[in-house]
Amino acid sequence: MKLIGPFTQLITLANLSLRGKLTDEQLEIIPNGGILIQNKKIMAVGDYEDLKQQNPNAITEKQQPNIDNQIALPAYTDSHTHICFGGNRANDFAMRNAGKTYLEIAEAGGGIWSSVQHTRQATEEELLETLLERIKYLLSLGITTIEIKSGYGLDVENELKMLRVIKKAQAQTKATVIPTCLSAHLKPRDFPGDSGDYLNYILKEILPKVKEENLANRVDIFIEKSAFQPEESRNFLVKTKDLGFDITVHADQFTPGSSRIAVEVGALSADHLEATSDEDIAYLAQSNTVATALPGASLGLGEPFSPARKLLDAGAILAIASDWNPGSAPMGNLIAQASVLATYQKLSTAEVLAGISFRAAHALKLDDRGILAENKKADFVVYNTDNFQNIIYQQGRLMPSSVYIDGEKI
Ligand code: NIG
Ligand code: FE
């Protein structure tokens, strides 16, 4: 048994609703708090001195005795990333900012297809090395649960290669890695057939092998004019569900309507939502599908932010994720992105913190984390500061002084 603290503030995120708006007054803030840990789980949180008296055998651990003020809160979850990839797309970014169109960029060898080519060319070792570096960066931000998609392989060999690399990464990091098969990212240029044929190919040739090798139990699809159309996507998702996969969808990024399909097929989450209509918002709000805002994609593309305020006011479950990928969201700093989303969408600190902790974890079916409370996974983040408001206020500049996974400092 181990007692960690005392912390000037312990922000537990306990007793907050899974859906809808939150105010900062609802936050439980324990002054002089401590976290009692056993077997990788939290046994209790409360007043540090009380916990010490009640548990005289607990080993005490204060990380930095010379620091006056430290605060602790649950570690974060990034529920949507594409951080397994080869190459980079800095030139796409520059061309976009120079006013070039999507088509012109694609013709100049950019776009998703360029990441597919670089990812196909990369060896497993090369992909693993860069993936582990990106995971390390996310860990330094306090993100200990990371969803990672395939989707730059787009054929049996390379999609499996990506998913195997993601599985290997899990063996080499203390972070929790949740893999998702995004073979339905785009119909690859070299596929002989139409998009419907390609979706059938995924169902027949890729997903059975993903199952066999236990590489992922989640499937994603990009529903958009330039990718997969609504009806073929719906059929694909129904069939994927029959195969036993959980579903998530890239929805409403440029055109509205596909989040509705996500809700109808019972997707765990509908992500992007930059173009979501008021009607779609009402639909999402009445569902159990988590609405995931991806401010990193808005910042990377210069597109509007997802209507996070309206989604929360309507009662949706709002998560915020980075979408870190080489094309639309190259930044990767979820804390900075969520903080910026807060200013544009008028989100409370509680809403931001919930969106990158227990609400995001819920989108991955991981309700065992994101809250400092009894029996939850002992993943938490410590900052050298006296006030939790500084995290969002400093818009990503304030870095954790330590990050704990399963009660161990990493
Ligand atoms: O989530 N929207 C589709 N897919 C990614 C972009 C991937 C890429 O550009 O490489 C996204 O933004
Ligand atoms: Fe994405």
Side-chain angles (χ1 to χ4, degrees), residues 107-213:
E107 275 165 4
I112 293 178
W113 183 242
S114 111
S115 292
V116 172
Q117 287 170 302
H118 282 106
T119 305
R120 284 181 179 179
Q121 277 155 22
T123 63
E124 281 198 22
E125 291 69 33
E126 287 162 350
L127 286 177
L128 182 61
E129 192 184 330
T130 49
L131 174 57
L132 287 170
E133 279 167 20
R134 294 178 193 121
I135 290 173
K136 210 168 144 192
Y137 174 70
L138 293 176
L139 281 170
S140 77
L141 301 175
I143 298 162
T144 61
T145 302
I146 307 166
E147 187 261 15
I148 307 173
K149 300 175 196 296
S150 68
Y152 293 124
L154 307 188
D155 61 21
V156 177
E157 182 192 337
N158 289 289
E159 283 292 297
L160 293 178
K161 176 175 81 176
M162 286 189 75
L163 290 167
R164 287 183 193 126
V165 166
I166 295 167
K167 190 169 183 171
K168 279 190 186 157
Q170 175 62 100
Q172 295 191 32
T173 177
K174 292 200 162 68
T176 303
V177 170
I178 302 294
T180 302
C181 178
L182 176 59
S183 300
H185 199 181
L186 196 78
K187 179 180 81 76
R189 286 192 192 173
D190 57 358
F191 183 81
D194 63 17
S195 56
D197 298 331
Y198 179 63
L199 291 175
N200 279 330
Y201 166 82
I202 297 173
L203 286 165
K204 297 226 161 62
E205 305 293 333
I206 301 183
L207 293 182
K209 298 203 173 68
V210 170
K211 262 242 135 93
E212 224 173 86
E213 286 189 42

Side-chain angles (χ1 to χ4, degrees), residues 80-82 149 182 185 220 250 272 294 323 325 328:
H80 182 140
T81 84
H82 309 245
K149 300 175 196 296
L182 176 59
H185 199 181
D220 195 348
H250 278 70
H272 269 295
L294 304 174
D323 196 22
N325 73 69
S328 62

Side-chain angles (χ1 to χ4, degrees), residues 296-318:
S298 302
L299 291 167
L301 295 174
E303 293 283 334
F305 288 104
S306 319
R309 181 71 269 145
K310 281 187 176 178
L311 283 159
L312 285 164
D313 288 346
I317 312 168
L318 182 90

Side-chain angles (χ1 to χ4, degrees), residues 11 22 29 93 99 108 138 143 158 198 202 227 245 254 276 321 337 341 400:
I11 296 86
L22 298 171
I29 302 170
F93 194 81
L138 293 176
I143 298 162
N158 289 289
Y198 179 63
I202 297 173
F245 288 95
F254 302 107
T276 299
Q337 294 162 1
L341 182 70

Side-chain angles (χ1 to χ4, degrees), residues 183-324:
S183 300
H185 199 181
L186 196 78
K187 179 180 81 76
R189 286 192 192 173
D190 57 358
F191 183 81
D194 63 17
S195 56
D197 298 331
Y198 179 63
L199 291 175
N200 279 330
Y201 166 82
I202 297 173
L203 286 165
K204 297 226 161 62
E205 305 293 333
I206 301 183
L207 293 182
K209 298 203 173 68
V210 170
K211 262 242 135 93
E212 224 173 86
E213 286 189 42
N214 196 18
L215 294 172
N217 50 33
R218 297 161 43 88
V219 167
D220 195 348
I221 185 168
F222 182 23
I223 309 180
E224 190 51 61
K225 288 208 170 86
S226 60
F228 297 98
Q229 306 317 303
E231 279 323 303
E232 63 186 7
S233 303
R234 185 198 305 273
N235 293 335
F236 170 77
L237 290 173
V238 169
K239 287 179 187 155
T240 353
K241 229 182 158 184
D242 288 344
L243 290 174
F245 288 95
D246 286 328
I247 291 167
T248 176
V249 179
H250 278 70
D252 301 351
Q253 186 179 11
F254 302 107
T255 40
S258 47
S259 59
R260 184 171 279 252
I261 297 172
V263 170
E264 281 164 5
V265 301
L268 293 177
S269 74
D271 302 15
H272 269 295
L273 311 175
E274 292 88 330
T276 299
S277 69
D278 287 352
E279 221 185 333
D280 295 329
I281 290 172
Y283 214 70
L284 275 165
Q286 283 162 23
S287 77
N288 291 320
T289 298
V290 175
T292 308
L294 304 174
S298 302
L299 291 167
L301 295 174
E303 293 283 334
F305 288 104
S306 319
R309 181 71 269 145
K310 281 187 176 178
L311 283 159
L312 285 164
D313 288 346
I317 312 168
L318 182 90
I320 307 169
S322 75
D323 196 22
W324 189 359

Side-chain angles (χ1 to χ4, degrees), residues 347-361:
L347 307 184
S348 68
T349 302
E351 288 167 336
V352 173
L353 294 176
I356 58 177
S357 59
F358 68 94
R359 287 174 169 178

